[in-house]
């Protein structure tokens, strides 16, 4: 209920929004409210749960299962999960215009660079007009895919939010969950 309040719609930002209506960078809650409603409505109208499940399954089969099927002892396949997550997200949001392998790799690198710019941008050391690192490349990659997909421009800020807030974080969260269940066998049945 708290997040529904207009006061929760705006976010602090010390640089210009490089993605056009990226909700997390809109300062004024009054400006953010209609964006939030538009960005919430787009997935509800355009995404199909069955197609998302198929995209996730396909991405896992392509990127994660081969790593897990290896007979060698190995570390947690965080990078394979990250690639699979990006692939599934891009397929869900962009449909048949999903990102090719090279675009996916470039997007992942640019998103990581953008995510790590926190010191300069978030803490106000940037000049407001400077684009955060990685932002121009993210925009270039996703806008090209949007043009191929005939999707609405609202996909750009949604793709950025899903990448920065999901694809970069999800493998780590999954890893933590697996560590917890490995160290607490009695909880595995739950």
């Amino acid at each position: 209920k708290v997040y529904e309040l207009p006061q929760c719609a705006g976010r602090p930002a010390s640089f210009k929004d490089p993605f056009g209506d990226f909700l997390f960078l809109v300062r004024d809650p009054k400006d953010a409210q209609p964006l939030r409603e538009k960005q919430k409505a787009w997935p509800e109208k355009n995404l199909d749960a069955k197609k998302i499940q198929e995209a996730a399954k396909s991405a896992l089969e392509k990127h994660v299962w081969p790593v897990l099927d290896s007979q060698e002892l190995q570390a947690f396949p965080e990078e394979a999960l990250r690639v699979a997550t990006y692939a599934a997200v891009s397929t869900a949001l962009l449909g048949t215009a999903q990102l090719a392998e090279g675009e996916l790799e470039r997007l992942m690198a640019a998103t990581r660079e953008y995510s790590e710019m926190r010191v300069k941008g978030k803490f106000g050391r940037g000049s407001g007009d400077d684009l955060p690192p990685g932002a121009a490349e993210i925009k270039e990659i996703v806008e090209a895919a949007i043009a191929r997909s005939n999707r609405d421009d609202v996909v750009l800020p949604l793709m950025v939010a899903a990448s920065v807030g999901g694809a970069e974080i999800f493998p780590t969260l999954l890893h933590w969950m697996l560590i917890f269940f490995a160290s607490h066998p009695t909880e595995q049945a739950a």
Side-chain angles (χ1 to χ4, degrees), residues 63 83 86-87 90 99-109 141:
H63 300 285
V83 171
Y86 272 93
S90 76
L99 300 177
E101 288 294 321
E103 290 174 311
L104 201 58
E105 290 171 13
R106 285 179 49 221
L107 178 65
M108 289 172 57
I141 295 163

Side-chain angles (χ1 to χ4, degrees), residues 150-162:
N150 295 321
R151 297 275 178 141
D152 192 302
D153 284 346
V154 75
V155 172
L156 176 60
L158 291 175
M159 185 76 175
V160 172

Side-chain angles (χ1 to χ4, degrees), residues 76-134:
F76 181 77
E78 186 169 338
E79 191 60 23
L81 278 165
R82 184 172 281 110
V83 171
T85 305
Y86 272 93
V89 165
S90 76
T91 301
L93 291 177
L94 299 167
T96 57
Q98 69 223 29
L99 300 177
E101 288 294 321
E103 290 174 311
L104 201 58
E105 290 171 13
R106 285 179 49 221
L107 178 65
M108 289 172 57
T111 301
R112 181 159 290 157
E113 186 178 16
Y114 178 78
S115 296
E116 292 172 352
M117 63 78 203
R118 303 283 188 236
V119 173
K120 180 178 180 185
K122 194 171 187 179
F123 297 116
R125 294 189 186 118
S127 76
D129 291 333
D130 296 336
L131 280 181

Side-chain angles (χ1 to χ4, degrees), residues 17-20 107 110 131 134-146 156 160:
D17 178 4
F19 306 113
L107 178 65
L131 280 181
E137 188 155 15
I138 292 170
K139 188 173 180 178
E140 174 189 318
I141 295 163
V142 176
E143 282 183 338
I146 290 170
L156 176 60
V160 172

Side-chain angles (χ1 to χ4, degrees), residues 32-46:
Q33 185 64 29
L35 295 176
R36 182 172 50 177
E37 290 171 11
K38 180 180 176 184
Q39 290 177 10
K40 183 179 180 217
W42 190 91
E44 292 170 358
K45 179 182 175 192
N46 293 287

